[in-house]
Amino acid sequence: KKWIDGLKIDSVVALEYIKQLYGLRIRNPKMCDWDLQRRRFKEPIEQYNSAYINIQYLNEGRHHFFVDDRVGRLHTNLTNMQSDVRNFITWKGQPLVSVDISNSQPFLSTLLFKPSFYSTGKGVGEKMTLFSFSGGFSFSFSSSSSYSGSSSSFSSGSSGSRPPLMLQKPLYHTEKEDVKLFIDLVKKGQLYDYLSLAFKRELGVELTDRKNIKAAVFQVLFTDNRFIGQLEAAPKRIFRNLFPNVYDLFAAFKKQDSTFLPCLLQKIEARLILDIITKRISKEKPKAPIFTIHDSITTTMDNLDYVKQVMHEELEQHIGIAPNLKVEYWDGEQVMEKLNARRIEIGLVG
DNA sequence: TCCGGTCTGACAAATTACAA
DNA sequence: TTGTAATTTGTCAGACCGGA
């Protein structure tokens, strides 16, 4: 984006911040971030180093700006940066604010329950249909290619190919109670709260942490269908019990290739944010600086209401339900104070 | 000349972190 | 699950060395 040069990071304070955070973590191993997949704590020094690199790159103006060709997401210095550290960034001296879609993946997934999503034919361009997204996918015949041996499995996404799905009969049972409930919860932004209660009830353990709920939702959306019986798949099983028809639809999308659903959702997200919303903004308000971070858009205070309104309108129009938009003000001082409060809390200051 | 050991550079793959 | 960057580890061919 042409706005990127205006971005400034208060590197002195930001570096101080990550330094203190590092100190806090090595003195209190309990404060280290937990890596769910590996089931161990992350290394504070590694976290410090990658944050350091990101700060320096932005500081020196070493920008990277890249749209990947698999799912079409835009990757920049900002997308790669730790969200805490973003608070120290300003644009031409002005504070920034970001608007993001809360529980964006489940929100986008509700599109799969609309019959119009499966309409074939002339839906061109911006129209949100499965057909319009399937062109770029390479077909995954990895399970059968082992004995076929021929090179026919690489169609490399020719536009005339059919989606790698076999939805013989409609799987989007909109009339089923659990589907209604799922969509309703997403609409109200209460899916995580609902799941949190369910997990607590079923497992008895404290899985109420926001991060854990998010991880559980990702597990449902992204993991292979065969991942269901293991101990670690408990949240997935609970979700299946609560929302059987929702689960089945997701499973159908992952049947041949477990990466199909995640890629599809990311493509939908990229088209909405990059093709539809930011294009409209730059057309209507060419002077408004905007920065995308996957499912969120960052701008200056004076453009906040406008950006919010555009996001709301376009998302509602293309997904079919209104999004819950979360506003976050980038405020370095506040983040710094919060960290200091924690340091005092454990008696580190002095 | 042959053999085994060691070092080096180039590149690939795995691992670390980050984001969603 | 996807993507990014940086770092570490692994692989491999070639150069080098000394002993036989």
Side-chain angles (χ1 to χ4, degrees), chain A residues 290-304:
Chain A
I290 43 173
F291 308 93
T292 64
I293 302 171
H294 300 318
D295 75 333
S296 75
I297 298 181
T298 302
T299 187
T300 49
M301 295 294 185
D302 47 337
N303 292 302
L304 171 62

Side-chain angles (χ1 to χ4, degrees), chain A residues 159-340:
Chain A
S159 55
S161 48
R162 263 174 266 103
L165 283 174
M166 290 186 286
L167 297 171
Q168 312 292 12
K169 43 193 161 189
L171 279 167
Y172 40 94
H173 300 294
T174 328
E175 79 288 353
K176 291 276 168 56
E177 283 307 312
D178 67 305
V179 175
K180 280 189 198 163
L181 177 61
F182 178 76
I183 294 174
D184 194 52
L185 286 167
V186 171
K187 202 190 288 183
K188 289 179 178 157
Q190 293 171 355
L191 179 66
Y192 285 9
D193 301 314
Y194 184 87
L195 288 175
S196 173
L197 282 174
F199 290 152
K200 204 172 177 180
R201 193 176 56 233
E202 301 281 328
L203 296 171
V205 292
E206 293 291 321
L207 203 71
T208 47
D209 183 9
R210 209 78 180 168
K211 276 187 179 174
N212 290 332
I213 304 294
K214 201 171 171 179
V217 171
F218 278 24
Q219 191 179 77
V220 172
L221 290 170
F222 299 156
T223 55
D224 193 286
N225 291 343
R226 288 167 294 189
F227 177 73
I228 189 76
Q230 292 91 318
L231 191 68
E232 302 92 319
K236 200 179 180 184
R237 287 195 296 273
I238 294 170
F239 185 93
R240 186 178 58 174
N241 290 336
L242 292 171
F243 305 103
N245 291 288
V246 178
Y247 179 88
D248 283 349
L249 181 68
F250 292 161
F253 272 87
K254 292 187 293 181
K255 190 171 182 185
Q256 290 193 6
D257 176 5
S258 66
T259 71
F260 184 80
L261 183 58
C263 287
L264 178 65
L265 291 175
Q266 289 177 15
K267 278 193 153 193
I268 294 171
E269 166 209 85
R271 186 184 296 177
L272 283 165
I273 298 286
L274 299 174
D275 287 352
I276 297 175
I277 296 174
T278 58
K279 284 219 175 108
R280 179 176 155 191
I281 293 173
S282 59
K283 199 174 162 191
E284 291 179 358
K285 280 202 171 196
K287 285 192 174 174
I290 43 173
F291 308 93
T292 64
I293 302 171
H294 300 318
D295 75 333
S296 75
I297 298 181
T298 302
T299 187
T300 49
M301 295 294 185
D302 47 337
N303 292 302
L304 171 62
D305 289 336
Y306 167 72
V307 168
K308 236 170 99 176
Q309 191 200 329
V310 174
M311 283 178 77
H312 194 279
E313 281 176 19
E314 296 295 338
L315 290 170
E316 182 168 30
Q317 193 200 320
H318 289 95
I319 300 296
I321 64 174
N324 271 269
L325 298 177
K326 204 167 59 203
V327 174
E328 270 173 16
Y329 297 90
W330 292 10
D331 183 350
E333 266 181 51
Q334 194 194 316
V335 170
M336 202 69 187
E337 275 169 25
K338 224 175 185 172
L339 181 65
N340 276 325

Side-chain angles (χ1 to χ4, degrees), chain A residues 54 62 82 99 126-127 130-131 151 204 218-219 231 263 295 308 314:
Chain A
N54 282 319
R62 274 181 69 175
Q82 210 174 330
V99 184
E126 290 185 350
K127 194 114 197 301
L130 178 57
F131 188 77
S151 60
F218 278 24
Q219 191 179 77
L231 191 68
C263 287
D295 75 333
K308 236 170 99 176
E314 296 295 338

Side-chain angles (χ1 to χ4, degrees), chain A residues 18-33 42-48 346 348:
Chain A
I18 61 168
K19 195 172 135 193
Q20 292 191 3
L21 190 59
Y22 169 73
L24 198 60
R25 282 172 173 156
I26 54 167
R27 287 180 184 81
N28 300 69
K30 286 189 113 180
M31 281 184 156
C32 291
D33 287 332
K42 293 176 181 178
E43 293 295 330
I45 187 65
E46 299 286 347
Q47 295 183 287
Y48 174 85
I346 59 162
L348 211 71

